Amino acid sequence: MTPEEYRRGPVTLRGAQRPARTTDQRLLESTGEADWVHSDPWRVLRIQSEFVEGFSALAELGPAISVFGSARTAREDPSYAAAEQIGAGIARLGYAVITGGGPGVMEAANKGAKQAGGVSVGLGIELPFEQGMNEYVDLGVDFRYFFARKTVFVKYSRGFVVLPGGFGTFDELFEALCLMQTHKIDLFPLILVGRDYWQGLLDWLSRSVLEQGVISGTDLDLLRVVDTADEAVALLHELIGAAPR
């Protein structure tokens, strides 16, 4: 997809048809007017359709691992190579690889999975920038709403592997932590790759957050940290084993 194109669900828009606001912005805005009484019930049907479409597309996928990281990671960056190796390693364990379907770390993980003979999945999202499904995705689903997309990530994943990334990566990371901490989902591996990148966050959690008593020590045990792609794949194998054939 070119920068001039805009993806809204299954629809591609260009030129004057390109909207100024995303579907999420329109859903969450509050104008103080009463027109929501007429429009929001119809939005519920669109939201329902996203869940149906996502569940339908991945229902027969089989066991999978999600890989997260920055869309801005260059192909020359060590994190790109690590994500590619992790994608390949996950595929060799018999798991599908799910990413956000975009460039950077997501592209690398999809590439590794595809070239290793595994199933490569992308769950895209409507954004003003960084849109488009990378060329290594075999099964792609585009979402309008972040919450629908995040539900599908969690529902069909046996674990998360998280490489260096920004706010979107943090969002997925802390979503999974919160769901496991509150026992909304069963515990699964949550592996951070790159100790140098993540250590500042871990120190802050261990000191400021834990010392304030707003989390417990066992909450920190939900996170596992490794330095290399091989360590990430080996830890997945140790924690959940190879996928059943």
Side-chain angles (χ1 to χ4, degrees):
M1 177 175 290
T2 67
E4 293 75 25
E5 294 180 345
Y6 189 95
R7 182 72 59 80
R8 187 172 63 194
V11 179
T12 297
L13 302 167
R14 299 187 179 100
Q17 294 299 311
R18 183 183 171 98
R21 297 170 66 76
T22 68
T23 305
D24 272 321
Q25 285 176 315
R26 292 192 297 274
L27 171 68
L28 298 173
E29 69 187 357
S30 177
T31 63
E33 300 174 354
D35 61 348
W36 65 270
V37 175
H38 307 288
S39 61
D40 278 12
W42 289 105
R43 285 193 177 123
V44 170
L45 295 179
R46 175 180 285 175
I47 292 166
Q48 176 182 305
S49 73
E50 290 218 337
F51 282 112
V52 170
E53 190 70 30
F55 293 167
S56 176
L58 274 65
E60 298 179 354
L61 176 65
I65 303 292
S66 287
V67 180
F68 299 99
S70 177
R72 306 182 188 189
T73 300
R75 291 174 178 172
E76 301 76 24
D77 192 294
S79 290
Y80 188 99
E84 189 175 340
Q85 294 170 31
I86 289 168
I90 291 171
R92 294 188 187 105
L93 288 176
Y95 294 92
V97 170
I98 306 176
T99 78
V105 164
M106 296 174 281
E107 175 188 286
N110 287 133
K111 178 181 179 181
K114 184 178 181 69
Q115 294 185 344
V119 180
S120 175
V121 180
L123 304 181
I125 186 69
E126 173 192 339
L127 292 173
F129 307 101
E130 297 176 355
Q131 283 202 348
M133 204 70 70
N134 70 67
E135 63 184 293
Y136 301 103
V137 169
D138 296 317
L139 171 59
V141 183
D142 283 305
F143 290 84
R144 290 181 173 93
Y145 300 104
F146 263 117
F147 54 85
R149 178 182 185 239
K150 290 197 290 185
T151 299
V152 175
F153 268 122
V154 171
K155 179 174 176 59
Y156 293 101
S157 297
R158 301 284 182 89
F160 282 6
V161 178
V162 189
L163 288 95
F167 289 160
T169 302
F170 303 155
D171 183 38
E172 300 291 354
L173 168 62
F174 281 100
E175 174 92 2
L177 278 172
C178 181
L179 290 172
M180 288 193 285
Q181 181 204 45
T182 55
H183 303 286
K184 286 293 187 180
I185 62 172
D186 294 332
L187 301 184
F188 62 51
L190 188 50
I191 301 171
L192 307 179
V193 182
R195 192 176 301 273
D196 287 347
Y197 185 83
W198 295 109
Q199 194 59 55
L201 173 63
L202 296 173
D203 290 342
W204 175 72
L205 290 172
S206 298
R207 296 171 186 167
S208 298
V209 184
L210 182 60
E211 289 178 3
Q212 286 289 323
V214 293
I215 63 171
S216 65
T218 55
D219 294 332
L220 293 178
D221 294 337
L222 298 172
L223 290 166
R224 308 290 289 269
V225 191
V226 299
D227 277 317
T228 69
D230 287 343
E231 289 174 331
V233 174
L235 184 54
L236 279 173
H237 191 222
E238 174 188 336
L239 295 175
I240 59 175
R245 301 293 181 176

